[in-house]
Amino acid sequence: MKAKIQIPIFVFLLFFSANMIYSESEDKETIEINAKIELEKVSRNIINALRYGRFLLADTEWKKIQSEVYKSYPEYDYLNGSLLYSRMEWQEAKESLNKALKKEPNHEAASFLLGMIYAQEDSWSEAKNTWMETNQISPYNPFYHYNLGLAYYILKDYNNAILSLNKSLEYKANYNEAKFILAKTYLELNETEKAKAELVTILEQDPKHVQASHLMGRVVYSTEKDPKKSLTYLKNVRLLGWREKKVYARCYFEIRKWRDAENLLRPIAYSPFADEYDQSFYLNLLLNLGYDERANDFFHFIQKQSQNESKIAEAYRMLLSSREGKDLLYHYFKLRY
């Protein structure tokens, strides 16, 4: 009789134990599913907040996913890297993004943002290499191809810049930013007509595009030698690049507006990369304006310059190009400062 009673009890215990194991497994799976759902929702909120500069909202949302259940996901590390990026904490952001990519090598957003950090640090070669990987993960994004093309342009790899920028335009036909960098690239290769063609399409679509207008003035002077016509394209002196400053200074000089020419050329003449033509031109301007004492001081400044400043000049050019590049990059997130 006792043996008959013990068998059902054993079966019951076995069933109860199995049911508990199944229940625990089910609870763990439910927790993971709910964590993924919550993480996706919070991720959207943080990304949108960072895009529109709503940093307090981004920080508030981040606090919602600080339990251990979220920290194993690559998205957690990506979001942390994004918040650190917005605070310009580059090193910590890189570490977090690399964690995300270690967990999920095809995380395109983490790869793209990692390239942005390298660009912010003036490490354009690393940015280029990273964005090459981003484009392998997501080959149809025009903004990724654009940033890669810009990196190639700054690194003076003009042929690859053209390839990447044309790829960007293949996926976004009226992308004026890509056309603008393409025009600048053609000018570096002395392919003036191709540059002009790109600038014409930009200005037809957006007549108020200041940078394209400035570049068109440079092209007009190069092809037509008409200083007055070239100056009609000058919209804002403060936004001129150093190459354009040289051109417009020459235009002002030719129409005898020597003060305007001197104002534009002064930062070029005193820079490490001014060539002999720039220096002679500036000296001539000072003499034409009757600034004999300043002309004498500038002459002595030239004499004191070291003949071994080519490396400094190249570094200066690179920093100027990098600063320009950071302004022209496609930025997905705003920065807090």
Side-chain angles (χ1 to χ4, degrees), residues 166-218:
N166 277 323
K167 185 66 70 174
S168 176
L169 289 165
E170 183 180 329
Y171 301 126
K172 184 176 169 61
N174 293 319
Y175 193 7
N176 282 341
E177 286 76 8
K179 291 180 180 179
F180 175 69
I181 302 300
L182 193 56
K184 287 173 72 70
T185 304
Y186 284 136
L187 282 179
E188 292 298 325
L189 295 171
N190 294 318
E191 297 184 25
T192 310
E193 290 304 317
K194 288 184 179 180
K196 186 176 182 180
E198 297 296 338
L199 293 170
V200 166
T201 63
I202 295 172
L203 293 171
E204 284 177 347
Q205 186 180 340
D206 181 9
K208 294 183 179 180
H209 196 296
V210 173
Q211 292 167 318
S213 184
H214 288 167
L215 208 58
M216 180 62 90
R218 178 178 156 192

Side-chain angles (χ1 to χ4, degrees), residues 37 39-49 75 79:
I37 293 170
L39 186 58
E40 287 177 7
K41 183 179 77 172
V42 171
S43 177
R44 284 195 300 271
N45 292 341
I46 290 175
I47 298 306
N48 286 330
E75 191 67 12
L79 293 172

